[in-house]
Amino acid sequence: MPFTLPSRTPSGPRRRSLLAGAAGAGAVLLAGCSDPDSDSGSTSGSSSAAARARARAARDSEQLARRYEAVLAAHPALSARLSPLLAEVVRHAEAFGGGKRASDAASASASVSASASATPDGDAAAGASVSSGSSSPSPEVPATEKEARGELAAAERALADRRTKELADVPGELARLLASVAAAGAAHAFLLTEDEK
């Protein structure tokens, strides 16, 4: 009987299927979420707590978007990999009621993508326009792409864990939104570190 080798197909989901699934699920859940003021049957105390939780979640997503922007500015070669994740983080901030800052991050991501493809040497100055107009200082970015991705993954995981812990303290609609965004953050962390196995 001849000896045959087992198939070498990778186990687990592929990066593209995870990204597509996370983006699709996030879009469906975000589209179904209502206004912050539409939670029915809530008292003014729980309503103000929900408003504070929503504002904190928007602020957290905006800070995460700034981290992505800083990494893209320092490592424009990562644009193809990080731009879709940044765009989703921006959508999360907007779903929580984030303002103009989140929209600025999406347009900055597009300019980094264009700049990175226009400069063959991947000059870090190509993405310098990303943080222009930012009211807070840019986060520090590790020198290597792998470390930068690892830091983003750690930030995504920490934020997803914090949001998961907050689920019991917020009303239903906001809890569903937090759960959806936490799941997307966990998927982002996986995608950022996928090739480090």
Side-chain angles (χ1 to χ4, degrees), residues 16-28:
R16 287 184 184 176
S17 63
L18 263 177
L19 183 57
V28 168

Side-chain angles (χ1 to χ4, degrees), residues 31-182:
C33 292
S34 61
D35 249 3
D37 300 329
S38 69
D39 287 332
S40 57
S42 61
T43 64
S44 64
S46 64
S47 177
S48 65
R52 284 191 306 272
R54 186 178 286 273
R56 183 175 52 251
R59 195 170 48 250
D60 289 344
S61 289
E62 289 171 350
Q63 288 173 350
L64 184 58
R66 279 192 291 278
R67 280 183 179 229
Y68 272 95
E69 292 171 357
V71 170
L72 282 168
H75 303 288
L78 291 174
S79 179
R81 187 170 191 171
L82 298 186
S83 291
L85 302 179
L86 171 58
E88 194 163 318
V89 170
V90 168
R91 282 192 299 273
H92 296 161
E94 291 170 348
F96 287 121
K100 183 178 179 330
R101 178 76 188 103
S103 298
D104 290 346
S107 62
S109 169
S111 81
V112 166
S113 296
S115 298
S117 61
T119 58
D121 61 349
D123 184 14
S129 65
V130 175
S131 8
S132 64
S134 176
S135 59
S136 63
S138 283
E140 292 293 320
V141 177
T144 68
E145 291 179 2
K146 182 176 180 179
E147 289 173 339
R149 285 191 345 258
E151 187 178 89
L152 282 174
E156 287 274 17
R157 272 192 295 275
L159 187 53
D161 290 346
R162 190 167 64 232
R163 286 174 169 164
T164 301
K165 289 176 185 171
E166 292 175 359
L167 291 177
D169 301 329
V170 295
E173 193 70 29
L174 181 55
R176 284 188 289 275
L177 179 58
L178 276 173
S180 170
V181 173

